[in-house]
Structure formats: structure tokens, C-alpha cells
Amino acid sequence: MATYPRYGIITLLILAFVGVFAQTVSNPKLKALKETFEQKEERVRQAWFDSAKAENWVREKTNHNDHPRIYLYNKVAGSPKNAPYCAAGLYFTATLAGLKLPITTPAAVRSWFADPKKIIYTKSQPGRFIQMPKKMDVVWLYQSHIEGLAEPIRRDIDDDDYITTVAFNSQGNNPKQGVYFPMRRRWRDVRKVANHITPYLKKLAKDEAAILAKESR
């Protein structure tokens, strides 16, 4: 007779486990919580990179920012039809990757560097990285041009070293302006680097946690 309670407890534990497992599998919010922040950040960076790289086919017709796809970049970024689109193209592909970056005027290069908390490197402090630049951090090149990093940057990078980027409204050694990947740039030409993805995902996680906490009350 003493064995029955024991079997009953074991049965209850099994049922409880099955119930929790089924709930976890069926509830996308609980499944999402299992993904670490680092995994999510890597996935989002890759999604943005893939979206940007996929625009590699775009070429201006007469080198005057004239192409239907370029018009779309500028429309989404809120800039004129034939405006320069190095920043607008990055913003457009970020939206394709599901990112709603809080940039006031996304077609303007300076707007991507307006928040000092997102700047992780400046040329005025060479060798000092607040964070190491990762894929799809944004680099400010030359006077007023930005591109997306296609690979992380190592700490001991030198001025003569090259970085690889995804470039909108660029030409390089090519006959036409357009979207190019891979684009090779010298590190000496980088003025600043900004990380928009990590702060964006941290705020998103905070907001989601607040919603879950509210729903659980």
C-alpha cells in the first residue's frame, strides 16, 4: 500500500513536466526568452547585413541618384527622390530586417552619430574603443558618407589596414555609382563608428520584459 502514493507523486511530476514543456513550445514569448541576448544580437546583425548585401545589384542609370530602388530608399528615409542615399539605403535595409531605429532624420549622416552613447570609436582618440565594432555597426567615412561594417574590427587595427563594408551611393573603382559589396576601405578614412543595434535591442528587451511582467499580474 505504501507504494501507491509514491507512484502518484511520480505521475504528477511527469504530467507537470509535460505541461510546462508543451506550454514552452506553444508559447512564442517563452521560446523567445530562451534565446540569449548575444544570440539575438548576432541574428539581427546578420539579418541587416543580408538585407543590405542583397541590394548589391542596384546601379544608377546616369550617376545622378537615378534608379527606382534608390527612390524607394529615399522615400522610406523621408528624403527627396534624387537625394544622396548612403544613409537612406542603410536605414531602408534596417527596416527590411525588422529594425525600427530611432533616428530622427535617417537620410542625414550626422543623425546616425547624434547620440554620443552610441558612438564607440572616434578618430580623435585613436586606438581607444568603447566597444569593439561588430558587423553592421556604422562607419562615418570622409567628409559626409557612411557605410555598414561587413565584419568585426580587431583592436590592433592600423591606419593602413583595410576594412570591408556594404556601401550605398558609392563607386570605388567601378564605372557607376550604386550599391557595392564587398567594398574595401582604409581604416585611416574612418572618422567615427556607431553601434545602433545593441542599444536598440536592449530597449526592446526591457520593453518586452515590462509587458510580460504586466501580463503575469
Side-chain angles (χ1 to χ4, degrees), residues 32-117:
L33 288 174
K34 287 197 165 186
E35 183 181 40
T36 68
F37 183 86
E38 290 77 15
Q39 289 171 330
K40 184 171 185 178
E41 181 172 355
E42 184 177 353
R43 175 171 56 79
V44 169
R45 287 180 182 276
Q46 186 64 44
W48 187 7
F49 171 69
D50 290 341
S51 295
K53 183 176 66 171
E55 301 295 309
N56 190 43
W57 59 276
V58 177
R59 300 289 182 270
E60 297 176 21
K61 293 181 179 180
T62 64
N63 277 356
H64 289 88
N65 303 335
D66 49 347
H67 189 285
R69 194 69 170 175
I70 295 170
Y71 305 155
L72 181 58
Y73 301 158
N74 283 323
K75 181 179 180 180
V76 171
S79 54
K81 181 178 178 180
N82 290 94
Y85 56 94
C86 63
L90 283 175
Y91 184 76
F92 171 79
T93 52
T95 64
L96 292 183
L99 295 165
K100 298 179 181 178
L101 298 177
I103 302 173
T104 306
T105 50
V109 169
R110 291 183 180 276
S111 289
W112 290 75
F113 299 86
D115 186 350
K117 294 180 181 178

Side-chain angles (χ1 to χ4, degrees), residues 156-189:
D156 62 345
I157 191 167
D158 293 322
D159 280 353
D160 287 336
D161 291 336
Y162 283 91
I163 61 173
T164 305
T165 66
V166 182
F168 290 78
N169 203 169
S170 191
Q171 187 170 353
N173 296 321
N174 304 291
K176 283 192 173 185
Q177 289 272 344
V179 184
Y180 288 97
F181 172 80
M183 182 65 74
R184 301 278 283 169
R185 301 295 193 188
R186 285 194 184 275
W187 181 246
R188 69 160 69 106
D189 295 323

